[in-house]
Amino acid sequence: MSVEIDLSKPGSGPGGPLSESGGGAFLASRRGKLTLFLLCAVAFLDFVDASIVNTALPSIQRDLSLSTQSLQWVPSGYLLTYGGLMLLGGRAADLLGRRRVLIAGTVVFGIASLVGGLAQTSGVLIGARLAQGTGAAMMLPAALSILTTSFAEGPERTKALGAWAGTGALASAVGVFLGGALTEGPGWRWVMFVNLPVCVLVLPAIPRLIGDDRRRMPRGGFDALGTVLATSGLLLLVYGLVKAPDQGWSATSTVVELTLAGALLTAFVWCEAVARNPLMPLSVFRIRGLAAANVTQLIAMCGFISMFFFLTLYMQDVLGYSPLKAGAAWLPLCVGVAVSAGIASQLLPRIGTRPVIAAGAVVAAAGMYLLSRIPVDGSYAADLLPGMLIVSLGLGGVFVGITTAANAGVPADKAGLAAALLNTSQQLGGALGLAVLSAVATARTHAVAGTESAAGAATSGFGRALLVGSVFLAVAGAVALRAPNTKGVEVDGEG
């Protein structure tokens, strides 16, 4: 049965009365398709910004005269606030209204992109990246929770989540290409400016397609203590992980930062257990599949993010690729992820998330292992393309399966929280993976420096990091085998 909705009545769409009652085949309607397109555009915008600056970093460093220490905060600043504020953004969406938080986050993101593109100093650019991460931390959980509450649980939501997850995986790869193309074309500033037209298109579409779900502040207001503990703990944890490769894992500053972060997060859990109106109700972890999906996501991202980082360095520093050529090298992976995400979306209702995630992780691990064998005189067709294609075929299944498993059975009033937890695990996994694997690569490079050329030593380090990354993906597959098997409707009790 199709449902006709008057587009002139914003309150009748997702987030309004229709979505609360299930709404029938919303995805089959014109409004449903437009809503899904809008939410996927938000996901694309946030995910692409995590990787789009990577190939532009050398140009940014030259133009603004940044030191290497300052330069690392161009990508890390976004990661810091994106991961650190995600939980707060998700819970704010549940308590204040998802449409309101999505609009506010998009405005912050757009303004920060404009300021970053106009930046003439490193301080302004890094501040803009911190603000972009803040906006993204509001946008992403709000958008994902709108999706899960707008589309009926079952095949309809599975298709919508498949499109969302595929978009996220695709954006991470497309960002590297766009960064290279824009840097060699109009210049690095356009890796910031390119966000503006998307924000301009998204902002007026939100009130047209998303119903007004504003809420009254719950009795007792926000959990102020929990908010302070969670936000400061997550920010300090991400900061410590980002700085660890430079400071050293055994450095006093690293030990203090990570220990204090652990203490703050432990205090946060205790606070949530006794709070009257907790920021993160611990009952959310009773939803079967949510915790397993988050752990799988965190481990998988440790390996996945490292691939983009180290292979981009290998292409530009060892093989001598230009930013545009290095970016274009990722296009086959983009296509492969899109294809595999579509296949995974069709398989989920038949066989469930467990085999899709496990098989996808194993396939991706095999591709990563192949990439870890890169030689100093490698070629794209023989040494990079085969491994990239194999990785792409696995990653679509991992992303789609994990997103579906994490959102199955989540009540509407906790959808923003569940979305925030999933994306926090993604950001923490990326930060942890880069921190650990950067240390692995550096140690290997130093170990062989006396017997290899500079390029050979660097290649050996990149290869060792990719090898460990493949282990992370294999472990993620093993964890998935112990998780509940979700088919988009319910979680069965097997395994």
Side-chain angles (χ1 to χ4, degrees), residues 112-263:
S113 298
L114 176 62
V115 172
L118 296 173
Q120 298 299 316
T121 66
S122 60
V124 173
L125 179 59
I126 292 169
R129 290 291 284 171
L130 290 166
Q132 275 188 318
T134 301
M138 300 166 69
M139 295 166 68
L140 202 68
L144 182 53
S145 59
I146 288 171
L147 184 150
T148 58
T149 55
S150 298
F151 298 97
E153 194 166 26
E156 182 175 83
R157 186 182 297 176
T158 298
K159 291 179 182 177
L161 287 172
W164 169 280
T167 298
L170 189 63
S172 298
V174 169
V176 184
F177 167 70
L178 284 178
L182 291 171
T183 300
E184 280 209 8
W188 70 262
R189 295 182 184 277
W190 280 90
V191 304
M192 307 290 285
F193 288 146
V194 74
N195 298 319
L196 296 176
V198 182
C199 290
V200 168
L201 291 173
V202 163
L203 276 172
I206 294 172
R208 294 280 293 171
L209 293 170
I210 309 300
D212 187 359
D213 64 339
R214 71 178 64 191
R215 295 164 169 78
R216 292 183 179 180
M217 178 70 70
R219 183 176 297 179
F222 271 121
D223 172 16
L225 179 58
T227 299
V228 171
L229 290 172
T231 303
S232 58
L234 286 171
L235 285 171
L236 189 56
L237 177 60
V238 176
Y239 178 83
L241 291 174
V242 167
K243 294 289 290 181
D246 291 329
Q247 296 176 161
W249 285 95
S250 60
T252 302
S253 55
T254 300
V255 173
V256 170
E257 288 159 4
L258 296 182
T259 301
L260 182 56

Side-chain angles (χ1 to χ4, degrees), residues 429-486:
L432 177 62
L434 281 177
V436 171
L437 298 183
S438 292
V440 169
T442 300
R444 176 62 179 173
T445 297
H446 288 165
V448 301
T451 59
E452 298 273 359
S453 64
T459 301
S460 182
F462 299 154
R464 182 61 58 87
L466 291 167
L467 177 62
V468 177
S470 71
V471 174
F472 276 120
L473 284 167
V475 171
V479 172
L481 288 175
R482 303 299 303 165
N485 194 33
T486 301

Side-chain angles (χ1 to χ4, degrees), residues 49-65:
D49 239 63
S51 60
I52 196 171
V53 301
N54 287 339
T55 46
L57 290 177
S59 297
I60 293 173
Q61 185 173 29
R62 288 192 299 269
D63 195 21
L64 298 184
S65 301

